[in-house]
Amino acid sequence: MSCSQKENRPPDNSYEKFVDGLVELQNLADIKFDKKDSTYYCDLDFESYLTYFDQLKIDSNWSLESHYRHFGDAGRPLILAFERNDSLGMKIKDKLSKSVKEFDGEFADWKLSEKLFDYQDSVEYLTPIQIKSDFGYFQFLVFSLFGDNYCKFGHSNYGHTDLITSKQRIKEFTELKNDFYYKFSNNEKLQALSIDPEPKIVVHNNDSVSVRIVTLGPWEGFIERKFSITQQWPHKLRQYEKTVLLEYDCGIMF
């Protein structure tokens, strides 16, 4: 490591504690049905949820909101960023304030959802987020990759990727019994246990921070991913390297 960069390590187990706490929060969120409006919604206090990311801050000129979209074969939250006095955002907020039934008659829910998906694509929802500390870069990355991992239903939940932060977590996955996705061979278990999954944060002097993580997915296995995040706000996130550490395919086809 050159003198132009330094690796910052948080206290022991802080990565794992943060990820485990986030998963616990997300599991508490539940899909519910409103009989009055005949619509599904996600029972989650999003403002309170955001406070868990304590090393991140929402810029005062912006707001972040979570809006749930549910169809017959899928359901997912949409995280939307709204800038004060932005005309496009205000139009979207106006539509969201109305009942779905007031929106263009038949297939209203689909039509509104399409507009929301387009808006999310056009306005990067990470833009309002400011990073307060070195550990905040890790939280920023986690929010980007896994922050909307709640109330997902059906087709929206097929990705099923886990963030692995400790050898103990690898051990737990390799010892699963009768699991739907994971049935590792003895050789695969040995290879998996040799992986170093601890995230790494490296602060560079060229206005960027590198964050290295390891993920596990049932159709790709253990993957090392490296991201670059700009130090200046608005922070830009880019994955610049992806390495297969242990290939795995559960063989399930949906």
Side-chain angles (χ1 to χ4, degrees):
M1 188 175 302
S2 70
C3 60
S4 64
Q5 59 189 43
K6 61 187 178 74
E7 179 181 345
N8 290 345
R9 299 171 62 90
D12 291 344
N13 299 322
S14 58
Y15 292 120
E16 187 170 10
K17 287 179 180 178
F18 178 78
V19 173
D20 286 350
L22 178 61
V23 171
E24 184 177 343
L25 270 179
Q26 293 172 334
N27 287 340
L28 289 174
D30 195 17
I31 304 170
K32 295 189 176 180
F33 183 72
D34 187 328
K35 293 182 179 179
K36 181 179 178 181
D37 291 333
S38 297
T39 58
Y40 290 90
Y41 68 96
C42 180
D43 185 19
L44 176 76
D45 183 342
F46 189 64
E47 286 191 17
S48 177
Y49 173 73
L50 285 177
T51 64
Y52 184 73
F53 296 84
D54 61 339
Q55 296 306 303
L56 304 179
K57 176 185 176 182
I58 307 301
D59 180 76
S60 60
N61 202 44
W62 287 81
S63 65
L64 271 184
E65 299 180 7
S66 175
H67 293 273
Y68 192 67
R69 314 312 300 156
H70 188 283
F71 309 108
D73 56 359
R76 56 170 284 199
L78 275 176
I79 299 178
L80 304 177
F82 297 102
E83 186 176 15
R84 189 179 301 171
N85 299 324
D86 174 67
S87 58
L88 175 60
M90 293 307 102
K91 288 179 181 178
I92 292 293
K93 284 178 72 74
D94 180 61
K95 291 185 182 298
L96 288 169
S97 67
K98 300 176 181 177
S99 168
V100 169
K101 294 179 181 178
E102 297 176 33
F103 185 79
D104 217 11
E106 192 177 6
F107 303 117
D109 194 61
W110 283 97
K111 293 175 181 178
L112 175 57
S113 296
E114 286 177 356
K115 286 190 175 293
L116 296 182
F117 294 144
D118 289 343
Y119 179 77
Q120 187 187 52
D121 288 339
S122 65
V123 180
E124 172 58 68
Y125 69 84
L126 296 177
T127 298
I129 302 175
Q130 298 178 350
I131 298 173
K132 297 161 56 177
S133 70
D134 290 344
F135 191 60
Y137 289 96
F138 175 73
Q139 292 190 0
F140 184 80
L141 178 58
V142 171
F143 185 79
S144 172
L145 299 180
F146 305 99
D148 65 348
N149 196 25
Y150 51 87
C151 290
K152 288 186 175 178
F153 170 78
H155 291 295
S156 292
N157 200 34
Y158 284 169
H160 200 80
T161 300
D162 290 284
L163 176 56
I164 309 298
T165 56
S166 70
K167 284 186 175 291
Q168 177 59 33
R169 188 65 74 243
I170 293 178
K171 188 171 185 291
E172 291 171 2
F173 272 100
T174 59
E175 292 180 349
L176 290 172
K177 303 296 183 183
N178 301 317
D179 186 72
F180 184 71
Y181 290 113
Y182 297 114
K183 301 174 180 63
F184 292 102
S185 67
N186 289 331
N187 185 49
E188 287 172 332
K189 291 179 182 179
L190 289 174
Q191 292 182 65
L193 291 171
S194 70
I195 294 172
D196 174 15
E198 184 180 5
K200 292 177 175 57
I201 302 171
V202 178
V203 179
H204 305 272
N205 287 344
N206 63 349
D207 190 38
S208 70
V209 174
S210 298
V211 183
R212 176 263 193 191
I213 60 170
V214 172
T215 61
L216 172 62
W219 291 277
E220 57 183 7
F222 289 93
I223 305 292
E224 178 186 67
R225 304 177 189 272
K226 294 181 180 179
F227 296 83
S228 174
I229 304 172
T230 59
Q231 292 186 43
Q232 287 190 332
W233 179 78
H235 305 285
K236 301 298 182 183
L237 173 68
R238 177 179 65 89
Q239 179 174 291
Y240 66 87
E241 190 172 315
K242 176 181 176 180
T243 305
V244 178
L245 302 177
L246 176 59
E247 189 173 359
Y248 181 85
D249 189 325
C250 64
I252 298 171
M253 297 181 65
F254 289 101

